[in-house]
Amino acid sequence: MEDTAAIAAALAEVGPRLKRARAQRQVTLTQLAAATGISKSTLSRLESGQRRPSLELLLPIAAAHQIPLDELVGAPEVGDPRVRFTPRRRNGRTVVPLTRQPGGLQAWKTIIPPEAGEPVLRTHEGYEWFYVLAGRVRLILADHDITMGPGEVAEFDTRLPHWFGAAGDQPVEILSLLGVQGERIHVRAAPRRTTERP
C-alpha cells in the first residue's frame, strides 16, 4: 500500500513539474505543442493533472526541454551530476551549448578560428552579452570597431548590424548569452567602487 501511495504522490507531482519546466524556459503551450507534436489541450491537461502522464507523452516533452526524463518525474539524483553537451560546428565555429531549454536566455561557449575575408555584418532579434575567455576578439557594432582581450565583456542589441570574431591569427574563446526575445542579463551585485584620493 505504501508503494502505491508513493507512486500516486509522484504522479501527482509530474503536472506541476511540467508546468514549472515550461515556465522557467519561457515556452508557451503552443510552442511546446509545435516542438513535441502533442496537442496543446493534452499538454494543458498533463500540467493540470487531468491527464495521466505516460512515457509516450513525457519523452518528447523532455526532449523539447532538453532535460532528463528523471527530472520531469522527480526521480532521485544518482551518479555523476555533470551535464555533458555535444559541441557543434556552425559556420566554421565550434559551439558548445550550455543551456538545455529552447526558450529564454541561451548560453554557449564558442571557439572562433581566424577567418579569411571581410566580416559580414548581420542583424537579428535579441540582445547579446559575451565574455572573452582567451584570445583577442574583434567586435564590429554599427559604427564601432573594437578589439577586446581576455576578461573583457560586451553587450549589445542584435538588431544593430554586428560581427565578432578572432582579431588576429589565433583562435578566440568566448562565453556568450543571447536573449532571443531581447532578454538582458540581470547583474545582482556591482563591483565595489574605490574612491580617488588627492
Side-chain angles (χ1 to χ4, degrees):
M1 292 292 288
E2 287 182 14
D3 287 346
T4 305
I7 291 170
L11 287 174
E13 283 299 311
V14 171
R17 275 198 185 87
L18 291 171
K19 192 167 188 175
R20 274 196 305 274
R22 184 174 59 79
Q24 286 168 355
R25 288 156 179 78
Q26 300 176 359
V27 175
T28 65
L29 281 172
T30 303
Q31 290 169 323
L32 187 57
T36 60
I38 300 169
S39 73
K40 187 176 163 183
S41 62
T42 299
L43 291 170
S44 178
R45 292 198 325 268
L46 273 173
E47 289 186 1
S48 66
Q50 296 172 359
R51 173 82 184 248
R52 189 177 174 96
S54 67
L55 276 178
E56 290 80 9
L57 296 171
L58 293 177
L59 285 171
I61 295 171
H65 288 320
Q66 296 182 343
I67 59 175
L69 181 61
D70 58 1
E71 193 173 313
L72 283 182
V73 297
E77 289 186 16
V78 293
D80 191 341
R82 290 173 294 181
V83 178
R84 291 177 171 85
F85 293 101
T86 306
R88 303 175 192 159
R89 296 286 291 171
R90 185 182 297 163
N91 300 323
R93 301 176 176 199
T94 302
V95 180
V96 182
L98 302 176
T99 46
R100 296 183 287 190
Q101 70 270 20
L105 283 172
Q106 299 294 305
W108 296 275
K109 178 181 177 184
T110 306
I111 301 168
I112 309 169
E115 299 170 9
E118 285 299 309
V120 177
L121 277 65
R122 64 189 188 109
T123 62
H124 54 87
E125 289 297 316
Y127 196 85
E128 185 146 6
W129 175 99
F130 71 77
Y131 174 86
V132 183
L133 292 168
R136 298 191 63 73
V137 175
R138 180 182 180 197
L139 168 65
I140 303 174
L141 179 64
D143 297 329
H144 301 282
D145 193 334
I146 304 162
T147 300
M148 301 167 56
E152 290 191 281
V153 177
E155 61 177 321
F156 54 91
D157 187 327
T158 57
R159 291 173 297 182
L160 293 170
H162 64 280
W163 175 90
F164 54 85
D169 59 359
Q170 296 296 315
V172 64
E173 292 184 36
I174 63 169
L175 286 179
S176 174
L177 296 175
L178 174 65
V180 290
Q181 277 89 42
E183 302 94 336
R184 298 188 180 199
I185 304 294
H186 297 288
V187 179
R188 294 189 175 264
R192 198 171 16 172
R193 291 185 179 172
T194 56
T195 54
E196 291 184 11
R197 295 181 180 176

